[in-house]
């Protein structure tokens, strides 16, 4: 029976890349790219081929193998695995690039910043300090070829071939035998007088000075070139001169060198180095220190290298959220770093965290997620939105904090295209109906109307027919002036979703009533909308064949493409409201106007003026909601219907920071804050708990009943002389209309609230005058 010996190289769990080798430190080692067979994760593999007659080099290579395997430090090349046979040595480390090659690649891309160089040199000096002060080891090979850079831009010290003990246990330094490395030796070693080195770190610190010179000036041609600092920064020159001084006694200890460079004004005293040092010790920091660090981190990320943000900052942010209870403060830097990731990396690293954050009860986290949804919404798929995100987001509609309710409404602009039929046409419409009908905050009612106008094209045809006209009609009766403007512009933004019959019988009557609104901004928008709809009706009247083209979207299924026009027209809404919402909430925290308290219209002459209605914040909002007027009014023509697309409705603005305006939401639970009242009592929530109970649009927003025929004897408007100059003694023609409305509202019987003493005059019930009680004589 034959037995075949197993090939250890073939069974090795790592394999070399077919790409050519990247070089390596001067000597027998050759650096190759590689990968782990099981996972495909990248690694670096240092290969040494054993050659006959090179026993001394083989012993040096084996010693380096052993040193790298036993030394563990964040700034020393990380050992992963190794293979030792009679023919070769394989040392597997983390994936790295030689520093010389890295600097060349970055120079072609614009060069390294001083921030990156300062931290890289800091890491190498810290590794030398660990070797000399903690391990009593002399590296004996500090140079450009012994430094490597990982994917995060971290500098690692390698090249441990010629390391020896500072205590003399293993004999003196090994002979290098490589001419390229001898130029880095300090001058005292070349002195044949036998003068001993005064300090154990003196030789390595001289070589550190050579490394600094090469980093800023390129390869070192000869030792005499060290006298000219060249491009070395001025803040580093004094400390560099100490390193390359001829007297070995004045060369500082690595620890003292770091201390000198970290002094105020020093080369290593900057935000980048401080951030890295904090991240290295983040596990032992106090929670308050972590909170402050993450709050300030996002301001600095723009100046930090991209690789550093992706591979060092991002893992720390994810760890802080997962295990450190960092809370909402990690969101801003997390999404900022997420911009550096591709779609696949974003799905793997950011989206799972975002989905988990939406289930949090922390109010600060919830509102920051809603505010920054635009940064990650494109990476969310529809099943994730409908099953894991939307069920948590809708709780914000019932929150007692107005800021959270407002942000929840605005977030629907981004979520609506990804919602399924049940969530969009049933669940979301139920919450919108309750908010517009019952919310105490005028800006939130306004934003609800705005959002509905923007997402109208995504609704199903039946939902659009049932909801849009009723919703916008109700908005035009809101006591809050911007809500009435939003209702008018909502009609305009969704004009293509109404039939000609609806335009004539439902929409135009509502808009005509707004032409006498107390607010000029409402009247202006009403006139524009009326002209637009009239032009549309007139064009169809002139050419009935256009009817099919004009109504093509009325019965069409919901489509993202249909929302393009609405989105551009409705840019007005959030612009005006976002900048006002938080201010209005602060100014009127408990302004809950009754839904029946609609603004009073100007009354015709001769009739008693009604009591003025209270319109919250009209004086402060009127100017904000007036759009830019056109320079001159031109004659109406067939292009009037299209001018809504050409008008500049403004652009979306980011909402003001509501965190500074609210109290600590993360500790307040769902309790109402002092100074804020809410009409979302348990009774109202239970009333809206089911779609059929009270949340339907038909029950919440009923269409006005058709007017009754005028009473007998009422003259038609066409019978009056509207343009004549002769005086008319017929009276005010609108008085009959007013009487008709009162008659239809009161009915034929005596209303109970008038009392038994009421009398009927001309078919109208009037109460008798109350007799004044005469004062008694004293």
């Amino acid at each position: 029976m034959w037995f075949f010996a197993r090939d250890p190289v073939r069974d090795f769990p790592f394999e070399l890349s077919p790409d050519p080798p990247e070089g390596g430190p001067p000597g027998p080692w050759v650096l190759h790219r590689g990968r782990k067979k099981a996972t495909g994760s990248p690694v670096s593999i240092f290969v040494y081929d054993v050659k006959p007659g090179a026993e001394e080099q083989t012993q040096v290579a084996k010693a380096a193998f052993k040193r790298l395997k036993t030394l563990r430090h964040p700034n020393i090349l990380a050992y992963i695995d190794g293979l030792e046979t009679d023919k070769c040595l394989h040392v597997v480390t983390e994936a790295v690039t030689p520093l010389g090659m890295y600097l060349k690649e970055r120079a072609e891309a614009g060069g390294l910043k001083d921030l990156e160089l300062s931290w890289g040199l800091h890491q190498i000096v810290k590794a030398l300090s660990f070797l000399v002060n903690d391990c009593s080891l002399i590296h004996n090979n500090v140079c450009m070829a012994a430094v490597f850079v990982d994917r995060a831009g971290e500098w690692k010290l390698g090249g441990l071939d010629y390391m020896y003990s500072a205590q003399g246990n293993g004999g003196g330094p090994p002979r290098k035998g490589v001419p390229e490395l001898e130029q880095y030796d300090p001058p005292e070693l070349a002195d044949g007088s036998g003068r001993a080195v005064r300090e154990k770190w003196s030789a390595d610190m001289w070589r550190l000075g050579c490394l600094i010179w090469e980093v800023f000036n390129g390869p070192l041609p000869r030792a005499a070139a060290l006298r000219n600092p060249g491009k070395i920064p001025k803040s580093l020159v004094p400390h560099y001169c100490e390193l390359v001084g001829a007297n070995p006694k004045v060369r500082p200890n690595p620890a003292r060198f770091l201390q000198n460079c970290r002094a105020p004004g020093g080369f290593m005293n900057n935000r980048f180095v401080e951030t890295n040092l904090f991240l290295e010790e983040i596990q032992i920091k106090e929670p308050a220190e972590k909170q402050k660090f993450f709050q300030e981190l996002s301001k600095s990320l723009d100046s930090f290298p991209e690789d550093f943000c992706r591979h060092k900052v991002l893992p720390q942010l994810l760890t802080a959220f997962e295990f450190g209870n960092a809370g909402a403060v990690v969101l801003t830097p997390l999404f900022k770093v997420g911009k550096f990731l591709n779609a696949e990396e974003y799905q793997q690293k950011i989206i799972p965290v975002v989905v988990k954050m939406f289930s949090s009860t922390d109010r600060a986290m919830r509102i920051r997620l809603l505010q920054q949804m635009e940064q990650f919404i494109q990476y969310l798929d529809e099943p994730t939105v409908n099953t894991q995100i939307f069920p948590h987001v809708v709780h914000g509609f019932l929150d007692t904090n107005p800021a959270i309710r407002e942000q929840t409404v605005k977030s629907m602009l981004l979520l609506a295209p990804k919602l399924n039929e049940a969530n969009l046409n049933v669940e979301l419409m139920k919450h919108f109906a309750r908010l517009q009908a019952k919310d105490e905050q005028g800006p939130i009612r306004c934003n609800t109307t705005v959002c509905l106008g923007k997402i109208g094209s995504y609704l199903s045809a039946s939902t659009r027919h049932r909801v849009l006209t009723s919703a916008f009609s109700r908005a035009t009766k809101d006591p809050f002036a911007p809500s009435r403007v939003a209702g008018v512009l909502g009609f305009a933004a969704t004009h293509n979703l109404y039939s000609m019959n609806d335009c004539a019988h439902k929409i135009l009557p509502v808009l005509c009533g707004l032409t006498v609104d107390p607010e000029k901004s409402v009247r202006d928008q009403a006139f524009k909308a009326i002209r637009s709809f009239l032009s549309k009706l007139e064009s169809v009247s002139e050419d009935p064949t256009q009817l099919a083209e004009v109504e093509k979207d009325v019965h069409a299924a919901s489509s993202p493409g249909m929302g393009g026009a609405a989105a551009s027209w409705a840019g007005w809404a959030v612009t005006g409201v976002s900048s006002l919402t938080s201010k209005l909430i602060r100014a009127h925290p408990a302004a809950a106007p009754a839904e029946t308290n609609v603004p009073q219209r100007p009354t015709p002459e001769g009739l008693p003026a009604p009591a003025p209605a209270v319109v919250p914040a009209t004086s402060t909002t009127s100017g904000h909601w007036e759009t830019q007027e056109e320079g001159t009014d031109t004659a109406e023509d067939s292009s009037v219907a299209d001018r809504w697309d050409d008008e500049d409705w403004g652009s979306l603005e980011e909402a003001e920071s509501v965190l500074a305006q609210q109290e600590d939401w993360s500790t307040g639970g769902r309790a109402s804050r002092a100074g804020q009242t809410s009409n979302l009592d348990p009774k109202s929530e239970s009333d809206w708990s089911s779609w059929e109970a009270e949340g339907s649009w038909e029950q919440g927003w009923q269409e006005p009943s058709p007017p009754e025929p005028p009473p007998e004897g009422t003259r038609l408007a066409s019978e009056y002389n509207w343009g004549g100059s002769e005086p008319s003694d017929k009276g005010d023609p609108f008085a009959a209309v007013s009487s008709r409305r009162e008659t239809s509202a009161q009915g034929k019987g005596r209303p109970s609230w008038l009392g038994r003493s009421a009398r009927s005059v001309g078919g109208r019930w009037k109460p008798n005058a109350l007799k004044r009680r005469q004062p008694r004589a004293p």
Side-chain angles (χ1 to χ4, degrees), residues 47-171:
V47 178
Y48 171 75
D49 293 325
V50 178
K51 298 177 182 179
E55 288 78 8
E56 185 177 0
Q57 281 192 351
T58 301
Q59 293 301 321
V60 169
K62 290 182 178 180
F65 189 168
K66 182 179 179 180
R67 292 287 189 187
L68 189 61
K69 189 176 182 178
T70 55
L71 284 174
R72 296 289 181 175
H73 189 269
N75 304 126
I76 295 179
L77 196 60
Y79 173 88
I80 296 178
D81 201 350
L83 174 67
E84 182 177 354
T85 67
D86 296 337
K87 297 181 179 180
C88 65
L89 294 176
H90 285 194
V91 178
V92 182
T93 68
E94 56 185 322
V96 291
T97 302
L99 178 60
M101 183 181 299
Y102 179 77
L103 293 177
K104 183 178 180 181
E105 293 174 354
R106 292 300 301 270
E108 295 175 354
L112 285 176
K113 300 179 180 179
D114 286 349
L115 291 178
E116 301 174 71
L117 296 175
S118 65
W119 175 240
L121 293 174
H122 185 284
Q123 292 175 296
I124 299 303
V125 178
K126 198 170 183 180
L128 288 177
S129 178
F130 166 74
L131 294 175
V132 172
N133 299 317
D134 298 337
C135 305
S136 295
L137 294 173
I138 306 300
H139 186 276
N140 197 34
N141 191 27
V142 180
C143 62
M144 181 82 75
V147 180
F148 303 88
V149 184
D150 67 4
R151 61 178 184 171
E154 304 278 274
W155 292 18
K156 307 285 185 175
L157 183 61
L160 309 183
D161 304 62
Y162 309 106
M163 183 179 292
Y164 65 97
S165 174
Q167 299 175 351
N169 298 335

Side-chain angles (χ1 to χ4, degrees), residues 650-696:
S651 58
L652 293 175
E653 295 176 349
E654 295 183 359
E656 294 180 0
S657 175
V658 292
L659 294 176
Q661 302 163 6
Q662 305 296 336
E663 298 178 12
D664 184 11
W665 305 329
S666 59
T667 58
R670 296 178 61 89
S672 299
R673 297 296 191 263
Q676 295 179 349
T677 60
S678 176
N679 61 351
L680 303 180
D681 52 11
K683 181 178 182 304
S684 64
E685 292 188 16
S686 62
D687 292 342
W688 288 91
S689 59
S690 64
W691 170 258
E692 298 297 337
E694 193 179 344
S696 63

Side-chain angles (χ1 to χ4, degrees), residues 475-558:
T476 61
K477 300 177 179 63
D478 196 290
F480 190 55
S483 293
R484 302 199 295 276
V485 176
V488 176
L489 294 174
F491 277 128
T494 55
H495 73 108
N496 60 316
L497 304 179
Y498 307 112
S499 65
M500 292 296 98
N501 285 333
D502 287 345
C503 293
H505 296 119
K506 295 182 180 180
I507 298 176
L508 280 175
V510 173
L511 295 176
C512 289
L514 295 176
T515 56
V516 291
D517 191 274
E519 286 290 327
K520 186 177 185 302
S521 60
V522 180
R523 299 195 299 270
D524 292 343
Q525 298 300 335
F527 281 119
K528 291 183 180 182
I530 290 172
R531 287 194 293 267
S532 177
F533 280 105
L534 284 177
S535 175
K536 191 173 182 179
L537 290 169
E538 185 178 2
S539 63
V540 175
S541 176
E542 295 292 336
D543 185 7
T545 59
Q546 296 182 9
L547 181 63
E549 177 66 20
V550 172
E551 294 186 351
K552 65 179 181 179
D553 294 334
V554 175
H555 301 290
S558 60

Side-chain angles (χ1 to χ4, degrees), residues 94 172 235 242 307 418 474 528 549 637 732 738:
E94 56 185 322
S235 58
E242 292 181 353
D307 291 337
K418 297 179 180 287
R474 185 181 188 89
K528 291 183 180 182
E549 177 66 20
D637 53 14
D732 189 350
S738 177

Side-chain angles (χ1 to χ4, degrees), residues 184-258:
Y184 300 107
D185 290 340
E188 60 268 18
L189 294 184
D191 189 0
S193 62
R195 182 175 54 186
V197 177
R198 297 295 182 179
E199 301 292 348
K200 58 183 179 181
W201 59 78
S202 296
D204 277 349
M205 297 308 287
W206 169 276
R207 298 184 180 97
L208 176 64
C210 298
L211 173 64
I212 292 176
W213 195 95
E214 288 189 318
V215 166
F216 290 99
N217 298 293
L220 180 66
R222 56 188 181 278
L226 296 173
R227 298 176 183 176
N228 181 16
K231 299 179 182 179
I232 297 177
K234 294 182 179 180
S235 58
L236 185 58
V237 169
H239 309 298
Y240 161 77
C241 293
E242 292 181 353
L243 299 178
V244 294
N247 186 357
K249 296 180 64 175
V250 301
R251 297 172 196 157
N253 185 287
R256 188 167 71 85
F257 178 81
L258 280 181

